[in-house]
């Protein structure tokens, strides 16, 4: 064999009784298929006929019809649709302006939820295209969907496992289970160990008998659970839904009271029907009923969320559900996965400690200084040998971390012993040049031997490990081993020449982002599948105070109360299994905490789905991104403070505009009840109410919902709002009733009465708007002033006045309408001063 292409000596077969590495519970399964011959064609056909084939059902998470039904068929939409249809049938389409808000609500909801559906339906944990199996004693390439139970699957480096199985033969195989367990170290597998779909072969090869295929496999079960559609918890949405429920219950009797009152005000049902005045009664009833539905508040909330989502998208933050913008502003605990969140998810070469001939470690050389060492006259050969290990085409992930620091040396090996997790080392021999001899790179205990644990080199390796880093020892022997020695795994006496330190690359923005959360009163917790020592070291690097190692989650109690006690004392945990991650999130939620969870691996998917807010990294697994509410497309943790700011702006501004909308809902209900119960003609046409809504609510609320606001979340906004809006709304309704009775008592034209009622209502509404705008800024003061001007234009400009059927009242009634409006405003100011004040943070602009 040529020296240019030396044979690589494989690892020895692993003992069948060796324990499985890692902490995934792999079941020992009795194998039945001969690994040499595999299944016969008849056996494959029988399994296909039985459905034991690796095909996944592509069931949709949620049908488009279901989404349309949920968004269309609500009581509010039914009420608005009926009112709109009635007005169109009566030829009064000008009075149906209120329907546009309902249409916008439906469109926004359907588009957002259908987008989420498409992402969930596209969820895939496996990307395997074709696999190699043994059938009828021959190797065959088959599609993933053609694999059947009991197939003998051949795995080699770089393959992804397409279905669950058990190893029946191996020459040393390392499986990367990081996406399943969070364990960044590849796991050595033995004959009899189980393998899970979704893992990948990082080194070696194996024959695997498939035991669970199709929907029974681990990846399929996780996919099915992740596909379940659920809405992120939102206090705004919960509060609005509560209002919707109350109003929905009240709408049924309200419709009957209002319609009966308007018919009775026209002489009773028979007389109104006979005279044709029933049409006017129906139109006025429509105005009273449609005004009682707070569809504008729901629309403003959706718009505020949508605008925030668009702004975040420009910063590479994908919002997969609108209410998620609010979520991060409410959380008080953020749980972080180490790999892929705090760290980049890959190893980096930190430094190399050269060793003198007498075994004394020298000063450590940082990775960026290695090239300088290599080019110095008379430089030692170890940098070239170390570079060869890094650039070897079969280098494991740890050795690959050497590549950025050292260029390929272009050396031609004469013999190579490939890396094996069983030996935890690899070796190479060179016949010529300064690097002549045998070089070994591996774990300290594998290279130095058990009898050299007290040497200075071993102590240096222990120092590196104590800091949560990974240490390898590079050793050299002057004599190059030959191919026969490689096959017998015979190595000459070795002398250590360098200790190499590796560490996970901590994200540059991690420490500053965690400082921000701590300053905002958000508790930071770290959960990882890695060794507690490694997790603890990374935690300290990003500024999380920690004494000793992280808590070993293998000792976590299963009792909920005992688990809560542990979580109260320990915020950094290692060796956390996927099931434990979700259990920890649920325990924190049971403790009354609002939990955000970040992650990138499949092992994080269910915890992200369980958390109040799931955040995935853009380079993470498809399953994780599909179930997350937010995806950091560029993986930059530093975007999260901006998400918090956007969420706070939404909460603060929706609380601000909710006072306007809920005041309107209160006075609309009160007016409908008063005029219906007293059998008095309702004083507004639907289009006139649309005008007042636009002046005092719609246009101002649109601006107020989007202006900058820096706030800290304070729970209970609905209660604060209602303690002001209920008395304020009743006051407005009584003011309108008073001016209506005065106008009709003066026996003026009904249009003048309606216009007077509009003026009184608008004056009170503008005062409520002014309260919502406090403290005044130039923008907010301009909004109120502009609405006053718009009221004057609506009453005086002929084309506008005619469309809304306004008629300027005579002087006494005009003055009375303004005066009563001002008295009502004074009372509203009293209610404002008596009501609980907004927290200071909620009224301060950024």
């Amino acid at each position: 064999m040529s020296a240019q292409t030396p044979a690589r000596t494989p690892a020895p077969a692993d003992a069948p009784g060796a324990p499985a590495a890692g902490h995934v519970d792999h079941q020992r399964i009795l194998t039945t298929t001969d690994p040499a011959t595999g299944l016969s064609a008849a056996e494959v056909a029988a399994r296909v006929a039985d459905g034991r084939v690796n095909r996944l059902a592509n069931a949709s998470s949620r049908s488009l019809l279901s989404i349309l039904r949920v968004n269309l068929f609500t009581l509010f939409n039914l009420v608005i649709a009926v009112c709109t249809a009635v007005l169109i049938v009566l030829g009064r389409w000008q009075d149906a302006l209120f329907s546009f808000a309902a249409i916008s609500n439906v469109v926004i909801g359907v588009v957002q939820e259908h987008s989420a559906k498409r992402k969930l339906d596209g969820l895939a944990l496996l990307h395997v295209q074709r696999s190699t199996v043994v059938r009828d004693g021959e190797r065959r390439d088959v599609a993933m969907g053609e694999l059947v139970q009991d197939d003998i699957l051949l795995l080699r480096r770089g393959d992804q496992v397409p279905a669950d199985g058990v190893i029946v033969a191996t020459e040393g195989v390392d499986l990367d289970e990081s996406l399943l367990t969070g364990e960044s170290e590849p796991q050595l597998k033995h004959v009899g160990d189980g393998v899970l779909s979704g893992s990948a072969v990082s080194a070696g090869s194996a024959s695997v008998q498939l035991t669970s295929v199709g929907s029974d496999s681990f990846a399929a079960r996780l996919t099915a659970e992740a596909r379940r559609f659920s809405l992120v918890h939102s206090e705004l949405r919960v509060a609005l839904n509560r209002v919707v429920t109350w109003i929905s219950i009240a709408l049924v009797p309200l419709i009957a009271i209002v319609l009966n009152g308007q018919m009775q005000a026209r002489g009773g049902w028979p007389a109104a029907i006979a005279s044709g005045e029933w049409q006017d009664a129906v139109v006025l009833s429509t105005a009273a009923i449609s005004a009682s539905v707070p569809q504008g508040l729901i629309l403003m909330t959706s718009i505020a969320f949508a605008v925030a989502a668009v702004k975040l998208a420009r910063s590479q933050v994908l919002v997969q559900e609108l209410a998620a913008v609010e979520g991060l502003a409410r959380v008080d605990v953020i749980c972080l996965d180490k790999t892929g969140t705090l760290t980049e998810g890959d190893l980096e070469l930190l430094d190399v400690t050269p060793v003198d001939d007498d075994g004394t470690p020298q000063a450590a050389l940082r990775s960026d200084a290695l090239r300088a060492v290599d080019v110095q006259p008379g430089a030692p050969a170890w940098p070239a040998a170390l570079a060869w290990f890094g650039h070897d085409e079969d280098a494991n992930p740890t050795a690959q971390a050497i590549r950025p620091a050292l260029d390929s040396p272009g050396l031609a090996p004469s013999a190579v012993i490939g890396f094996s997790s069983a030996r935890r080392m690899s070796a190479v021999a060179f016949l010529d040049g300064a690097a002549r001899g045998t070089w070994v790179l591996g774990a300290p205990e594998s290279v130095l031997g058990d009898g050299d644990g007290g040497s200075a080199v071993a102590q240096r390796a222990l120092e590196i490990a104590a800091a949560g880093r990974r240490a390898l020892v590079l050793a050299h022997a002057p004599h190059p081993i030959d191919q026969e020695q490689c096959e017998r795994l015979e190595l000459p006496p070795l002398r250590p020449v360098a200790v190499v330190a590796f560490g996970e690359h901590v994200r540059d923005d991690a420490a500053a982002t965690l400082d921000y959360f701590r300053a905002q009163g958000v508790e930071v917790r770290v959960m990882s599948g890695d060794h507690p020592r490694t997790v603890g070291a990374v935690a300290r690097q990003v500024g999380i105070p920690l004494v000793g190692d992280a808590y070993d989650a293998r000792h976590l109690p299963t009792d909920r109360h005992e688990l809560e006690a542990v979580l109260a004392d320990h915020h950094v945990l290692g060796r956390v299994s996927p099931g434990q991650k979700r259990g920890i999130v649920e325990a924190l939620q049971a403790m009354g905490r609002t939990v955000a969870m970040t992650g990138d691996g499949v092992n994080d998917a269910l915890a992200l789905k369980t958390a109040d807010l799931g955040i995935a990294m853009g380079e993470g697994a498809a399953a994780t991104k599909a179930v997350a509410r937010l995806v950091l497309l560029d993986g930059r943790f530093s975007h999260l403070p901006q998400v918090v700011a956007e969420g706070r702006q939404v909460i603060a501004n929706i609380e601000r505009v909710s006072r306007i909308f809920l005041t309107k809902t209160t006075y609309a209900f009160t007016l409908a009840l008063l005029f219906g119960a007293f059998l008095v003609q309702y004083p507004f046409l639907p289009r006139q109410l649309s005008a007042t809504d636009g002046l005092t609510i719609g246009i101002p609320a649109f601006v107020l919902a989007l202006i900058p606001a820096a706030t800290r979340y304070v729970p209970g906004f609905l209660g604060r709002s209602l303690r002001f809006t209920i008395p304020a709304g009743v006051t407005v309704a009584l003011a309108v009733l008073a001016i209506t009775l005065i106008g009709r008592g003066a026996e003026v034209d009904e249009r003048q009465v309606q216009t007077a009622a509009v003026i009184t209502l608008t004056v009170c509404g503008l005062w409520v708007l002014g309260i919502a705008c406090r403290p005044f800024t130039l923008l907010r003061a301009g909004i109120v002033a502009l609405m006053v001007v718009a009221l004057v234009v609506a009453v005086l400009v002929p084309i506008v006045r005619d469309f809304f059927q306004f008629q300027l009242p005579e002087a006494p009634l005009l003055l009375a309408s303004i005066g009563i409006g001002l008295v009502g405003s004074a009372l509203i100011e009293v209610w404002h001063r008596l009501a609980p004040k907004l927290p200071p943070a909620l009224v301060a602009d950024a």
Side-chain angles (χ1 to χ4, degrees):
M1 181 171 292
S2 165
Q4 300 298 323
T5 55
R8 290 176 180 268
T9 302
D14 297 310
H23 53 274
V24 178
D25 294 328
H26 297 300
Q27 183 180 2
R28 298 290 179 132
I29 302 170
L30 180 63
T31 57
T32 58
T33 307
D34 185 349
T37 60
L39 297 176
S40 66
E43 290 172 327
V44 171
R47 283 161 174 76
V48 172
D50 292 343
R52 290 179 287 169
V53 64
N54 196 42
R55 294 173 187 160
L56 301 177
N58 192 25
S60 174
S61 57
R62 202 175 181 211
S63 68
L64 178 59
L65 182 61
S66 172
I67 294 173
L68 287 170
R69 183 170 60 249
V70 169
N71 283 275
L72 280 174
F73 300 116
T74 66
L75 180 58
F76 277 12
N77 285 345
L78 176 62
V79 171
I80 296 300
V82 170
C83 291
T84 302
V86 167
L87 292 174
I88 292 175
V89 169
L90 295 178
R92 303 287 288 271
W93 59 268
Q94 302 94 330
D95 286 312
L97 298 177
F98 55 81
S99 63
F100 288 106
I103 294 172
S104 300
N105 280 332
V106 172
V107 170
I108 291 175
V110 169
V111 169
Q112 174 64 24
E113 292 183 25
H114 186 253
S115 174
K117 163 197 157 53
R118 291 194 349 258
K119 291 183 178 67
L120 289 172
D121 288 348
L123 173 59
L125 301 186
L126 298 175
H127 305 283
V128 180
Q129 298 301 318
R130 299 191 68 82
S131 302
T132 302
V133 296
V134 177
R135 290 180 180 174
D136 291 318
E138 298 179 354
R139 295 190 177 193
R140 299 179 184 176
D141 286 341
V142 300
M144 187 180 82
E146 297 175 4
L147 297 171
V148 299
Q149 187 177 9
D150 298 324
D151 250 334
I152 298 298
L153 174 72
L154 303 181
L155 294 175
R156 54 186 178 273
R157 186 175 181 273
D159 287 346
Q160 188 179 22
V161 182
D164 300 350
V166 60
I167 296 177
V168 294
T170 178
E171 292 184 344
V173 63
D174 292 340
L175 285 185
D176 179 0
E177 297 178 334
S178 59
L179 289 180
L180 305 178
T181 68
E183 175 75 56
S184 61
E185 282 280 353
Q187 301 300 306
L188 174 64
K189 298 298 179 183
H190 306 271
V191 171
D193 283 347
V195 296
L196 296 178
S197 50
S199 55
V201 180
S202 59
S205 61
S207 297
V208 174
Q209 178 179 330
L210 300 184
T211 56
S212 298
V213 297
S215 57
D216 293 330
S217 69
F218 174 82
R221 294 196 306 271
L222 184 58
T223 299
E225 185 163 1
R227 264 189 171 134
R228 288 185 297 106
F229 179 84
S230 62
L231 292 172
V232 65
H233 175 75
S234 162
E235 188 191 0
L236 292 178
R237 181 163 54 201
V238 169
L240 294 178
N241 286 342
R242 192 175 304 158
V243 172
V244 168
T245 301
W246 295 339
I247 295 175
S248 298
I249 295 172
L251 268 180
V252 176
L254 180 70
I255 292 171
I257 293 172
V258 171
L259 184 58
N260 179 69
Q262 297 311 298
M263 298 294 279
Q264 296 297 338
R266 285 162 176 76
W269 287 80
I273 293 173
S275 65
E277 292 187 9
W278 65 270
Q279 295 188 14
D280 292 333
V282 169
V283 171
L284 294 178
S285 298
T286 299
I289 295 167
S290 62
S292 302
V293 178
Q295 53 185 327
L297 178 56
I298 299 172
L299 176 60
M300 284 300 105
T301 303
S302 297
I303 290 176
F305 280 145
V307 170
V310 171
K311 290 167 65 178
L312 289 171
R314 294 172 185 159
S315 300
Q316 298 296 302
V317 178
L318 174 63
V319 179
Q320 301 203 129
E321 187 180 337
L322 292 181
V325 177
E326 169 204 348
L328 195 57
R330 294 189 301 102
V331 301
D332 53 21
V333 176
I334 182 166
C335 297
L336 308 174
D337 177 57
K338 177 187 69 66
T339 305
T341 302
L342 296 179
T343 66
E344 299 284 0
D346 52 3
L347 291 173
E348 64 173 341
L349 176 62
L350 299 178
D351 58 57
V352 178
T353 303
V355 179
D356 289 336
D357 293 340
D358 61 359
T360 303
Q362 302 175 10
L365 300 171
R366 289 178 43 175
S367 60
D368 54 7
L370 291 180
R371 284 190 175 89
V373 172
D374 193 27
V375 299
Q376 289 176 356
W382 66 257
L386 186 62
W388 184 91
F389 281 107
H391 289 274
D392 178 19
E393 62 180 9
D394 291 325
N396 67 352
T398 303
Q400 288 175 8
I402 299 171
R403 293 178 183 176
L406 290 169
D407 295 329
S408 175
L411 298 175
S414 59
V416 176
I417 298 177
F419 176 81
S420 165
S421 293
R423 295 185 303 273
R424 301 187 67 192
M425 50 79 70
S426 57
V428 62
F430 303 108
L431 295 176
D432 304 309
R436 173 183 168 79
T438 300
W439 298 86
V440 175
L441 180 67
E445 59 271 25
S446 298
V447 177
L448 301 176
D450 295 334
D452 200 17
S455 68
V457 174
Q459 291 302 314
R460 172 57 183 158
L462 287 175
E463 291 175 5
I464 294 173
R469 300 171 178 177
R470 189 173 305 168
L472 296 182
V473 172
L474 178 66
H476 176 252
H479 174 69
I481 58 175
D482 57 28
Q483 194 58 45
E484 292 183 1
Q485 289 174 308
C486 279
E487 293 174 358
R488 294 194 303 268
L489 302 178
E490 292 182 3
L491 294 174
L494 299 167
R495 181 182 66 82
V497 295
V499 182
V500 189
F502 300 87
E504 289 190 84
H505 183 260
V506 176
R507 293 182 183 272
D508 297 335
D509 51 11
T513 304
L514 295 186
D515 287 341
Y516 169 83
F517 279 116
R518 283 191 290 268
Q520 299 300 316
V522 178
E523 187 177 279
V524 177
R525 292 175 179 264
V526 178
M527 300 187 298
S528 174
D530 261 345
H531 192 283
R533 176 175 292 171
T534 304
V535 181
V538 172
R540 283 188 290 270
Q541 279 185 267
V542 296
I544 298 177
L546 182 68
V547 177
D549 297 337
Y551 184 88
D552 192 331
R554 290 174 294 185
H555 305 309
L556 278 177
T558 56
D559 178 77
R560 174 58 59 85
H561 298 294
E562 294 179 2
L563 176 59
E564 291 176 1
V566 171
L567 295 178
D569 297 329
H570 300 278
H571 292 183
V572 182
L573 296 90
R575 295 296 192 202
V576 185
S577 70
Q580 286 178 318
K581 286 189 177 183
R582 181 160 63 168
I584 290 170
V585 170
E586 291 173 339
L588 291 171
Q589 291 172 327
M591 295 163 66
R593 312 300 295 270
T594 303
V595 183
M597 172 78 191
T598 72
D600 68 336
V602 175
N603 63 305
D604 301 318
L606 298 183
L608 262 65
K609 193 171 185 69
T610 303
D612 297 283
L613 181 69
I615 305 167
M617 298 297 162
E619 67 274 20
T624 309
K625 289 184 285 188
V627 303
R629 312 301 184 177
L630 298 175
V631 180
L632 307 181
L633 295 177
D634 58 2
R636 293 189 63 83
F637 193 43
S638 56
H639 291 314
L640 292 184
Q642 184 183 358
V643 179
V644 173
E646 292 293 342
R648 288 178 170 179
Q649 174 173 314
V650 169
I651 292 176
N653 289 340
I654 293 304
E655 174 155 4
R656 193 186 302 279
V657 301
S658 71
R659 297 198 161 204
I660 308 173
F661 280 103
L662 294 179
T663 299
K664 180 250 187 177
T665 298
T666 302
Y667 71 63
F669 250 91
T670 306
L671 285 172
L673 288 173
L674 289 175
F675 284 89
F678 294 155
L679 309 181
V680 178
Q681 181 177 326
Y682 197 72
F684 302 109
L685 295 173
R687 73 187 74 176
Q688 292 171 343
L689 279 178
S690 296
T692 60
D693 284 355
L695 294 175
T696 63
I697 303 173
I699 298 173
F702 184 83
V703 177
L704 290 176
L706 303 179
I707 60 177
T711 70
R712 183 172 291 191
Y713 169 71
V714 180
F717 96 92
L718 182 59
R720 290 193 297 270
S721 294
L722 291 179
R723 277 176 279 184
F724 165 75
T725 58
I726 291 177
V730 172
T731 299
V732 174
L734 293 176
V736 171
L737 177 63
I739 191 61
T740 302
L741 295 177
I742 291 173
R744 289 178 181 158
E747 298 183 351
V748 299
D749 185 84
E750 181 62 23
R751 287 197 180 183
Q752 291 189 31
V753 174
Q754 291 175 341
T755 306
V758 166
I759 292 173
T760 298
L761 177 60
T762 306
V763 169
C764 292
L766 289 174
W767 197 272
V768 174
L769 173 62
I771 290 174
C773 286
R774 299 176 190 173
F776 282 107
T777 62
L778 185 60
L779 175 60
R780 293 176 186 166
I783 292 173
V784 177
L786 183 62
M787 294 304 102
V788 173
V789 172
L791 173 62
V792 175
V793 170
V795 174
L796 298 181
V797 176
I799 188 172
V800 181
R801 182 181 63 210
D802 293 343
F803 177 82
F804 289 106
Q805 296 190 12
F806 289 146
Q807 183 177 336
L808 189 65
E810 296 177 358
L813 185 58
L814 177 61
L815 293 175
S817 65
I818 297 174
I820 291 176
L822 292 175
V823 172
S825 299
L827 289 173
I828 291 171
E829 182 65 26
V830 172
W831 303 132
H832 167 65
R833 295 180 181 276
L834 293 177
K837 296 295 182 294
L838 293 175
L842 287 175
V843 297
D845 278 349

